[in-house]
Amino acid sequence: MKTHSIAEILSAHEFFSDMKPEHIEFISGCAKVSHFASGKFMILAGEPADNFYLIRSGHTAVEIEIGNQVRTIHSPGPGEFVGWSWILPPARWRYDVRVVEDVSAISFDAECVRKKCEADFEFGYHIYRRILKIVIERLMATRIQMIDMYA
Amino acid sequence: MPLPMLPVPMRIRRRVKETADTFTIELEPPDGTFAFEPGQFNMLYVFGVGEVPISISGDVSRRDVLVHTIRDVGTVTHALGRLKKGDWVGVRGPYGRGWPMKIAKGRDVILAAGGIGLAPLRPAIREVLDNRDDYGRVVVFYGARTPGDLLYPKEVVKWRARLDAKVSVTVDRADRTWHGNVGVITQLVSAARTDASRTVAMVCGPEIMMHYMRIHLAKLGIADEAIYVSMERNMKCAIGRCGHCQYGGDFICKDGPVFTFAEVESRFRIRSL
């Protein structure tokens, strides 16, 4: 079975489409393959946001504790990014992300990506522009979720 | 020919509680047969209370039983909810233009339901899955508020187990007992992987849900002429006479309830219509 390099995996993802190959190589240098078993937490609220993830397989649940209850507010799966709190200070996670089904992911070193964004503004612009698109899509989805559409 | 305004009494054979506010009744047609097309509706009359339009949610191939899934939202539906096995309901119908089953044949099909919208779409989903070879890629999306609000959960599990259709379910919020998707139904659309030029989409749910679904289906390249929506208005006579359900130049009861999005686009989500 042919194995793909991280750069090849990233090149095939919509997020990195039309990005310069040297930029993809650049960010690949901050990335590694990670695995998380079902039931484990990829992210814990309050902890430093020093990694973010691109899920390749498996499913997760973004959870928030309300009183004694834990509520799932989103369930990122294959092809989706997990974790935005690393982008801006204080860079601490705001939600828990629990693994619902064994996850294989590309894990990015947030500090490494941040430094590269600051060292190369063109690279940083492309990364932040793409992140903004996803954040806007999440905001739109959250707004629809809030209006109780099926009532 | 039967009088169009005269209800036919039918006995309730079975009653099933679906969710906290939704139930299904199975009725016995008096002569043992009732034919309808997916997407059509009946007027159900609770004697001494009133009449409401309710979509038919059963199987077109099962003519011996007439199935309606009803949400308890008003006086008549509340009265319907209090009826038991053996009680009588007046039935007029079937009425209206249903889902485009003939047009969909040979094409990829997206069937998207939100909340109670699965009830009017269920006959179309069953028709497609029961005659799977007649269609291209088949994708079913179903969204609800919470796992407890999902209709026909056992049947949906069977649909999801099929290898010849992609069936995705999502809820707006859930606790840890739910292992499925959490998020809005529109987020599922990008995974449809149908050929946009030969896709027919049938969408049923609240107008706001159909509005957002249309935006996301359009992003896939599906034309408004190939997106079908089921409209809901206050239907009274159900035969295009009284005008209660007038929707611009159309009567929902007679010209709909299913329209292409292209047909209703200029009137869609206008509050006064």
Side-chain angles (χ1 to χ4, degrees), chain B residues 121-166:
Chain B
L121 201 59
R122 182 164 75 156
I125 296 171
R126 283 185 170 184
E127 180 74 1
V128 169
L129 294 180
D130 289 350
N131 300 281
R132 186 61 192 84
D133 292 345
D134 292 347
Y135 303 89
R137 185 168 165 76
V138 173
V139 182
V140 179
F141 298 129
Y142 178 33
R145 268 180 187 166
T146 70
D149 292 310
L150 291 168
L151 292 178
Y152 323 125
K154 286 179 184 167
E155 187 170 356
V156 173
V157 166
K158 283 182 189 166
W159 294 345
R160 281 176 55 81
R162 291 180 67 125
L163 300 175
D164 57 359
K166 179 179 174 58

Side-chain angles (χ1 to χ4, degrees), chain B residues 168-191:
Chain B
S168 301
V169 179
T170 189
V171 296
D172 277 350
R173 52 187 177 273
D175 63 21
R176 278 190 179 165
T177 59
W178 170 253
H179 297 279
N181 282 311
V182 177
V184 289
I185 188 171
T186 51
Q187 288 179 299
L188 303 175
V189 176
S190 61

Side-chain angles (χ1 to χ4, degrees), chain A residues 41 59 63 70-75 98 100 138 141 144-145 147-151, chain B residues 71 114-115 143-145 172 174-176 179 181-182 184-185 187 206 208-209 212:
Chain A
F41 284 88
H59 278 91
E63 296 182 337
V70 176
R71 188 170 284 182
T72 303
I73 53 175
H74 183 45
S75 55
R98 186 173 54 87
V100 176
R138 284 293 313 135
I144 300 171
Q145 230 167 321
I147 59 176
D148 204 6
M149 186 162 69
Y150 309 115
Chain B
R71 185 188 265 181
R145 268 180 187 166
D172 277 350
D175 63 21
R176 278 190 179 165
H179 297 279
N181 282 311
V182 177
V184 289
I185 188 171
Q187 288 179 299
I208 185 78
M209 171 258 179
Y212 284 116

Side-chain angles (χ1 to χ4, degrees), chain B residues 15-95:
Chain B
R15 185 187 182 285
V16 179
K17 183 177 167 67
E18 301 284 357
T19 69
D21 63 356
T22 307
F23 56 95
T24 294
I25 53 172
E26 295 181 6
L27 303 169
E28 285 176 2
D31 57 0
T33 183
F34 188 96
F36 70 97
E37 290 170 13
Q40 288 192 303
F41 69 95
N42 281 325
M43 297 300 294
L44 300 189
Y45 187 38
V46 181
F47 299 110
V49 180
E51 201 177 38
V52 281
I54 304 287
S55 297
I56 305 168
S57 47
D59 199 324
V60 286
S61 64
R62 286 284 314 275
R63 295 189 172 192
D64 59 320
V65 61
L66 179 57
V67 179
H68 287 283
T69 296
I70 302 158
R71 185 188 265 181
D72 180 355
V73 287
T75 308
V76 181
T77 51
H78 186 64
L80 278 164
R82 291 169 61 185
L83 298 178
K84 300 178 202 71
K85 181 181 172 182
D87 287 341
W88 293 88
V89 174
V91 178
R92 290 194 293 125
Y95 295 120

Side-chain angles (χ1 to χ4, degrees), chain A residues 5-13 15-30 116 120 122-123 126-127 130:
Chain A
S5 69
I6 287 179
E8 285 174 327
I9 293 166
L10 299 186
S11 298
H13 193 277
F15 182 89
F16 299 97
S17 66
D18 301 329
M19 194 178 258
K20 286 181 181 173
E22 60 263 35
H23 286 163
I24 291 175
E25 283 296 331
F26 206 38
I27 196 166
S28 299
C30 298
K116 285 188 174 178
D120 181 341
E122 189 196 343
F123 170 78
H126 285 292
I127 291 292
R130 285 163 165 79

Side-chain angles (χ1 to χ4, degrees), chain A:
Chain A
M1 196 172 87
K2 186 181 185 306
T3 54
H4 297 275
S5 69
I6 287 179
E8 285 174 327
I9 293 166
L10 299 186
S11 298
H13 193 277
E14 186 195 357
F15 182 89
F16 299 97
S17 66
D18 301 329
M19 194 178 258
K20 286 181 181 173
E22 60 263 35
H23 286 163
I24 291 175
E25 283 296 331
F26 206 38
I27 196 166
S28 299
C30 298
K32 63 178 183 181
V33 175
S34 298
H35 301 280
F36 299 90
S38 171
K40 300 284 184 192
F41 284 88
M42 290 172 72
I43 287 172
L44 279 170
E47 291 198 345
D50 45 16
N51 285 288
F52 62 99
Y53 306 95
L54 170 59
I55 298 177
R56 297 195 67 208
S57 64
H59 278 91
T60 62
V62 180
E63 296 182 337
I64 186 165
E65 227 175 289
I66 306 168
N68 294 328
Q69 289 188 325
V70 176
R71 188 170 284 182
T72 303
I73 53 175
H74 183 45
S75 55
E80 290 187 80
F81 280 90
V82 174
W84 304 118
S85 302
W86 62 274
I87 298 168
L88 296 169
R92 287 190 177 273
W93 297 122
R94 294 186 175 88
Y95 305 103
D96 296 331
V97 178
R98 186 173 54 87
V99 178
V100 176
E101 179 191 318
D102 290 357
V103 162
S104 173
I106 305 290
S107 165
F108 297 89
D109 180 329
E111 179 66 12
C112 174
V113 176
R114 271 195 303 261
K115 280 185 176 165
K116 285 188 174 178
C117 288
E118 281 159 20
D120 181 341
F121 283 0
E122 189 196 343
F123 170 78
Y125 168 78
H126 285 292
I127 291 292
Y128 276 64
R129 197 178 66 133
R130 285 163 165 79
I131 289 171
L132 184 62
K133 181 174 179 283
I134 296 176
V135 171
I136 288 170
E137 283 168 3
R138 284 293 313 135
L139 175 64
M140 291 299 295
T142 304
R143 283 177 173 170
I144 300 171
Q145 230 167 321
M146 281 173 63
I147 59 176
D148 204 6
M149 186 162 69
Y150 309 115

